[in-house]
């Protein structure tokens, strides 16, 4: 039986699996990616078996090399922000909604919300500004499509609004601006990453813990191979 001390020591590690054969000294986020969950940071798992699946190319049709699992000490609990997740929601969608709602609800980011809204819904400056004002005041959005230029929504918070309409934006510049704003916002709160529950059954089947992490600046963390 594992001792309590050893259990605590082991629980301080997190794991990252890759099919990349060359030995890594650090891990980087995919800052140019168009998915929010990978653009804001690198992913790690609490259970090494999840990382092991990635090292074997779980989402790739063909892998011709032996993958590697790396480990590093996870940040403290106070340095990790928990992603709100609704039952039945995909974890990628939950992370994306958390990113957008955190950025858009900040009073300094109205112009960014307006740009995102106009790009996503082809709305006017006035329409997008009105939506931002109503969400800021937690007022319901009118269902008048002629007035607001998009399908009805009866949501009254930034989180429920992006949940309802989807977080994806086709504009790369707006996407990257949102990513950078979010990371800066989290760092100003003393956060080094996010913690969430992995909802992908293919990745978590047969493992002890579905807990996973997204680290904003993984290149600053010392990594070593996990045996």
């Amino acid at each position: 039986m594992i001792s309590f001390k050893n259990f605590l020591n082991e629980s301080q590690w997190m794991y990252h699996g890759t099919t990349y054969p060359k030995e890594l000294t650090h891990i980087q986020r995919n800052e140019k990616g168009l998915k929010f969950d990978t653009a804001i940071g690198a992913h790690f798992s609490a259970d090494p078996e999840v990382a092991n699946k990635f090292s074997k190319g779980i989402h790739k049709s063909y892998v011709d090399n032996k993958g590697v699992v790396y480990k590093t000490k996870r940040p403290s609990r106070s340095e990790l922000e928990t992603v709100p997740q609704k039952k039945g929601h995909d974890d990628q969608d939950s992370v994306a909604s958390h990113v957008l709602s955190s950025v858009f609800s900040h009073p300094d980011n109205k112009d960014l919300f307006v740009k995102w809204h106009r790009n996503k819904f082809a709305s006017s400056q006035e329409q997008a500004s009105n939506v931002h004002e109503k969400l800021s005041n937690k007022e319901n959005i009118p269902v008048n499509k002629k007035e607001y230029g998009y399908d009805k929504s009866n949501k009254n918070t930034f989180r429920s609004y992006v949940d309802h309409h989807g977080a994806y934006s086709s504009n790369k510049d707006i996407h990257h601006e949102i990513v950078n704003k979010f990371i800066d916002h989290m760092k100003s709160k003393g956060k080094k990453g996010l913690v969430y529950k992995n909802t992908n059954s293919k990745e978590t089947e047969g493992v002890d813990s579905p807990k996973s992490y997204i680290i904003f600046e993984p290149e600053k963390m010392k990594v070593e191979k996990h045996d």
Side-chain angles (χ1 to χ4, degrees), residues 23-203:
E23 185 166 347
L24 300 177
T25 57
H26 63 277
I27 295 170
Q28 293 180 305
R29 67 184 175 95
N30 182 19
E31 57 183 285
K32 294 183 179 180
L34 290 179
K35 292 183 178 179
F36 283 111
D37 68 313
T38 55
I40 62 172
H43 286 239
F44 295 82
S45 62
D47 192 315
E49 183 54 32
V50 176
N52 189 44
K53 291 183 179 184
F54 277 90
S55 74
K56 294 179 179 178
I58 187 173
H59 295 302
K60 296 183 178 181
S61 58
Y62 176 73
V63 178
D64 63 355
N65 58 64
K66 184 178 180 181
V68 183
V69 173
Y70 293 92
K71 67 178 182 179
T72 185
K73 289 295 184 69
R74 65 163 173 78
S76 66
R77 287 181 174 83
S78 63
E79 294 172 324
L80 294 168
E81 176 151 304
T82 301
V83 176
Q85 292 179 260
K86 295 180 180 178
K87 186 176 181 179
H89 279 209
D90 179 82
D91 59 61
Q92 286 186 333
D93 293 338
S94 296
V95 170
S97 291
H98 186 56
V99 170
L100 265 72
S101 60
S102 297
V103 172
F104 292 158
S105 61
H106 194 285
D108 293 342
N109 295 330
K110 178 180 178 179
D111 289 344
L112 181 54
F113 174 86
V114 169
K115 283 196 296 185
W116 172 83
H117 195 280
R118 295 191 66 187
N119 175 258
K120 189 173 181 67
F121 301 107
S123 56
S124 68
Q125 180 86 15
E126 182 181 5
Q127 289 167 348
S129 296
N130 285 342
V131 171
H132 184 276
E133 181 179 356
K134 291 184 181 300
L135 292 175
S136 297
N137 295 325
K138 296 185 178 181
E139 298 176 17
N140 286 342
I141 307 299
V143 298
N144 188 332
K145 186 173 182 178
K146 183 178 180 181
E147 179 183 356
Y148 285 91
Y150 58 91
D151 291 335
K152 66 180 181 179
S153 169
N154 198 36
K155 306 301 181 181
N156 63 352
T157 68
F158 286 99
R159 175 59 193 253
S160 59
Y161 188 77
V162 296
D163 272 347
H164 181 75
H165 289 294
Y168 180 75
S169 174
S170 60
N171 187 291
K172 292 182 180 180
D173 292 335
I174 294 175
H175 173 85
H176 295 317
E177 188 175 355
I178 292 170
V179 167
N180 292 331
K181 289 279 189 182
F182 177 76
I183 293 174
D184 289 343
H185 176 57
M186 289 293 107
K187 289 168 65 177
S188 72
K189 295 171 62 177
K191 303 297 182 181
K192 293 183 177 180
L194 304 177
V195 56
Y196 70 97
K197 178 183 178 181
N198 187 333
T199 61
N200 189 311
S201 58
K202 187 177 180 180
E203 297 169 4

Side-chain angles (χ1 to χ4, degrees), residues 1-8 10:
M1 176 181 288
I2 186 172
S3 70
F4 183 67
K5 181 179 180 180
N6 288 338
F7 170 77
L8 289 178
E10 183 62 24

